[in-house]
Amino acid sequence: NIFDGCAVLDLNGGLGGLALHICETFPKCVVHCVVKSIHVEFVEKMRKEKGFEKRLIIVQECVDDLEFKESSFDRVLECPRG
């Protein structure tokens, strides 16, 4: 479960839909959204339109290369694509 104020890592951010939804639903959450380079421009545009620049962090890296301190996130999500 996601709760307001938690830190979320979205490992398969795609076009940012889940990350944007979390920011809209939980106004105190901070979401790190891992996106492919081809989607960065779109996610950045949506983030600015919604005013989530400080709460939706775009991460443009391969998931295998991510390095965060232990316990950096309260929730780690990965929505399967297919």
Side-chain angles (χ1 to χ4, degrees):
N1 292 342
I2 297 172
F3 56 91
D4 204 12
C6 72
V8 178
L9 174 61
D10 181 2
L11 289 174
N12 196 359
L15 294 172
L18 178 60
L20 290 164
H21 175 73
I22 292 169
C23 286
E24 289 172 344
T25 306
F26 302 99
K28 295 179 183 174
C29 281
V30 174
V31 182
H32 285 72
C33 182
V34 180
V35 297
K36 293 181 179 180
S37 59
I38 60 171
H39 299 306
V40 169
E41 187 176 326
F42 178 80
V43 177
E44 178 69 27
K45 178 183 175 211
M46 296 303 296
R47 178 176 85 148
K48 285 182 180 178
E49 284 180 11
K50 302 279 186 176
F52 297 148
E53 293 93 341
K54 294 184 180 180
R55 297 193 309 112
L56 198 164
I57 312 304
I58 298 170
V59 180
Q60 184 183 337
E61 283 188 52
C62 176
V63 171
D64 295 331
D65 297 332
L66 293 175
E67 291 187 25
F68 293 103
K69 292 180 183 177
E70 191 172 330
S71 301
S72 294
F73 301 99
D74 299 299
R75 300 290 182 262
V76 177
L77 309 174
E78 181 178 19
C79 290
R81 308 284 183 221

